[in-house]
Amino acid sequence: LQKEMARRSIPLAILLMISLIFLVFEIVQCKRNRAQGKTGKHRSIIVSIALVAWVCLNFYFDVIPVINDIAKESFVCVDGLYCAGPVEKETLLRSAFVSIETDEGEVWLKIPRGEQKTFPEGDCSGTFWYAYNSEVLLMIETEDGNIYFP
């Protein structure tokens, strides 16, 4: 789970730093233009602010739940079944998900980024461990005794 937190937070932190540097540069450039009597469009500042806000929101919804799971040790163990491997593919902005059928109903869990290759394909039933707040799949123990750490 700590590896997953690092995978999610490091790119966001880098993007935030670049966005903040760009925003400061644009503000300084705007003040310089205003001092010289030039007026210009401030679209780049608006784009910079929007990018910083997007990174902060993504951090809040993507990384903070993982931190809470680690701090509070919020882990869940369920018996269930899934079919045909991961349902949705991972993209730059979205993790891959898998649907698991349990006695309580269907649970959608995130597969840790970059770990789809180690995920077992086909029908699988067994015990699934996942983080409660972030809904990240941590471990699968199949009925035939195989253990997967996605």
Side-chain angles (χ1 to χ4, degrees):
L1 198 55
Q2 290 173 342
K3 206 166 70 169
E4 179 67 10
M5 185 181 70
R7 283 188 186 145
R8 293 174 184 227
S9 61
I10 290 173
L12 289 175
I14 292 170
L15 188 57
L16 180 63
M17 293 291 287
I18 292 170
S19 302
L20 288 173
I21 290 169
F22 183 70
L23 179 61
V24 168
F25 173 77
E26 288 298 319
I27 290 172
V28 168
Q29 188 69 26
C30 232
K31 286 187 177 192
R32 209 178 279 155
N33 286 345
R34 199 175 283 162
Q36 294 174 355
K38 298 178 186 175
T39 58
K41 297 180 182 171
H42 305 294
R43 286 187 202 155
S44 56
I45 291 178
I46 294 170
V47 170
S48 300
I49 292 171
L51 187 58
V52 168
W54 177 81
V55 169
C56 291
L57 284 173
N58 200 350
F59 185 82
Y60 178 78
F61 288 112
D62 212 22
V63 177
I64 299 297
V66 176
I67 293 170
N68 287 336
D69 286 331
I70 292 171
K72 296 176 183 174
E73 296 182 4
S74 304
F75 307 113
V76 179
C77 174
V78 295
D79 289 324
L81 148 76
Y82 82 94
C83 302
V87 179
E88 295 183 25
K89 298 234 185 254
E90 174 182 347
T91 65
L92 181 63
L93 302 176
R94 184 184 70 213
S95 297
F97 285 86
V98 65
S99 171
I100 297 174
E101 293 290 331
T102 67
D103 293 336
E104 293 83 34
E106 185 177 39
V107 178
W108 285 87
L109 300 176
K110 298 174 192 166
I111 299 171
R113 294 178 194 236
E115 299 295 329
Q116 278 186 296
K117 297 174 191 117
T118 62
F119 199 77
E121 293 291 331
D123 296 349
C124 178
S125 62
T127 305
F128 299 83
W129 282 267
Y130 68 94
Y132 178 75
N133 295 308
S134 59
E135 299 176 335
V136 174
L137 184 62
L138 302 173
M139 188 175 102
I140 305 168
E141 183 177 0
T142 61
E143 287 182 346
D144 57 357
N146 293 328
I147 296 177
Y148 297 93
F149 295 96

